Amino acid sequence: MYYWEGYSSISILRIMMLVMLLPVLTNSAEIQSGYKKKTIAISGFLPIHQNHWDASGTLPALEMAILDINQRLDILPNHSLQLIWTDTKGSPSYALSRFFNTTRLKDKIYMVISGGYSEVAVALGLVTPSFGLLQVSYASVSHELSDREKFPNFFRTCPDLIHITLPFLAVLRHFNWTSVALLHRISVTFDTVVEVLIHEFRESNITIIANEQFSDKSSLSREIESITENRAKIIIALIHEGDAVKVFCQAYHHGAYGKEYVWIVTSWLSERFWSNVINTTSINCTADQVRQAAQNFLTVDYALLEHRNVTTFSGMTHHQFQDRY
């Protein structure tokens, strides 16, 4: 189980509890009526089929949460949750097309669960208020989603990525690294984080000797070459898993790896991301070359699981949850 999958799984139990906030559940007459359980449909928009990172590990946790809530008598009595999920393929436009198809279903949707890609969550978050839908995410970390005026119905169980700037600073201070290079994908996930990093680094007398950004069209050769020409040895890369193969392939070709270099990357890269070379036609590296360039990179991450052996509101400790999952 990859770390992001574990994080998504444990968080999904928190997500489902938010269903209690839905207005339909406040009807006490319905609870006491003794009629057949009322179905509450929840729509899940998950990036299942991807060449890179996907949320396939989330679906079993969602199903566990649905089962647990439906079997408990102290949560949503006389109601039964039904999950209707669809694959977004990690694409905002495809997710929107699937969303509008979902709104035409016979069963009314009361809540949308989205996650995995902030770009998808942003696209959905702009339309869900018009349908009166609560939207919850377990993994969309973009700072843009914290704008309550723009996304009034959006909630999440993961931290805003902007908070990761302090751990970055702590690592640099610990090793007394006073000059860095920044590399990031242009996206709603990273743009604001880079602005905050630049400000915080300047306040802490840390010199940014190169600041490169890239899009889908970039081969990353120019960006990595600029970093090496500026003699940067500490490189902070804010990238998605799909970018990592390209980044470290170019690092290999430009010699930006080895004991003289430190790459600090985002934490959601899977354990063997370099194997994705076979799915990336534009890469002129072997999987072993990418692996070689990526050796010993550092990541900064949040505590994804409760490390204390305490019972959560789900009735399980995190050890029990993982054993069951």
Side-chain angles (χ1 to χ4, degrees), residues 218-235:
S218 174
S219 69
L220 282 161
S221 177
R222 182 196 64 78
E223 290 83 358
I224 302 299
E225 182 178 11
S226 173
I227 288 172
T228 56
E229 286 180 348
N230 282 283
R231 300 182 179 181
K233 303 298 183 182
I234 312 300
I235 307 162

Side-chain angles (χ1 to χ4, degrees), residues 50-312:
Q50 284 285 301
N51 289 334
H52 309 298
W53 179 87
D54 65 54
S56 56
T58 301
L59 192 54
L62 266 170
E63 293 169 342
M64 282 171 54
I66 294 288
L67 177 64
D68 286 352
I69 291 176
N70 285 343
Q71 289 182 341
R72 289 179 61 164
L73 300 178
D74 59 331
I75 304 176
L76 311 185
N78 281 13
H79 292 78
S80 178
L81 298 184
Q82 177 190 14
L83 175 66
I84 303 171
W85 70 272
T86 187
D87 183 7
T88 67
K89 304 183 185 297
S91 165
S93 57
Y94 187 78
L96 283 174
S97 69
R98 301 303 298 169
F99 171 79
F100 289 119
N101 286 339
T102 300
T103 60
R104 300 188 185 100
L105 295 176
K106 179 180 178 181
D107 293 328
K108 180 181 178 181
I109 301 297
Y110 289 94
M111 177 175 166
V112 169
I113 296 177
S114 63
Y117 290 89
S118 291
E119 292 82 357
V120 172
V122 167
L124 291 173
L126 292 173
V127 298
T128 49
S130 299
F131 292 85
L133 294 174
L134 178 69
Q135 180 184 357
V136 184
S137 175
Y138 54 85
S140 299
V141 296
S142 171
H143 179 66
E144 183 178 355
L145 291 164
S146 295
D147 187 336
R148 302 309 300 165
E149 292 186 5
K150 195 173 182 180
F151 303 99
N153 290 15
F154 179 83
F155 301 88
R156 53 185 164 190
T157 61
C158 56
D160 185 331
L161 191 62
I162 201 170
H163 298 302
I164 209 162
T165 56
L166 293 179
F168 275 134
L169 276 173
V171 170
L172 297 180
R173 288 168 178 164
H174 177 79
F175 291 104
N176 196 29
W177 291 331
T178 57
S179 61
V180 300
L182 297 178
L183 175 69
H184 83 281
R185 164 176 279 280
I186 301 171
S187 75
V188 297
T189 304
F190 301 125
D191 291 347
T192 303
V193 177
V194 171
E195 293 176 7
V196 175
L197 277 176
I198 292 172
H199 172 77
E200 295 292 341
F201 286 175
R202 287 173 178 169
E203 291 291 313
S204 302
N205 295 318
I206 296 173
T207 303
I208 301 173
I209 56 179
N211 182 11
E212 297 294 334
Q213 58 186 14
F214 64 93
S215 63
D216 286 331
K217 296 181 180 180
S218 174
S219 69
L220 282 161
S221 177
R222 182 196 64 78
E223 290 83 358
I224 302 299
E225 182 178 11
S226 173
I227 288 172
T228 56
E229 286 180 348
N230 282 283
R231 300 182 179 181
K233 303 298 183 182
I234 312 300
I235 307 162
I236 295 176
L238 302 177
I239 55 178
H240 293 306
E241 173 150 329
D243 306 317
V245 169
K246 293 171 65 175
V247 167
F248 285 107
C249 176
Q250 292 300 332
Y252 178 84
H253 287 305
H254 290 279
Y257 67 98
K259 63 181 181 180
E260 294 184 354
Y261 288 86
V262 176
W263 284 84
I264 307 175
V265 302
T266 40
S267 61
W268 46 70
L269 304 188
S270 56
E271 295 177 11
R272 297 177 58 84
F273 72 85
W274 49 83
S275 62
N276 287 325
V277 164
I278 60 174
N279 298 321
T280 311
T281 57
S282 61
I283 298 300
N284 59 339
C285 286
T286 65
D288 188 66
Q289 288 171 334
V290 175
R291 179 196 60 79
Q292 184 177 344
Q295 280 186 354
N296 303 319
F297 67 79
L298 298 179
T299 64
V300 174
D301 203 356
Y302 307 104
L304 305 182
L305 294 172
E306 171 61 74
H307 294 289
R308 297 168 299 170
N309 192 33
V310 297
T311 301
T312 67

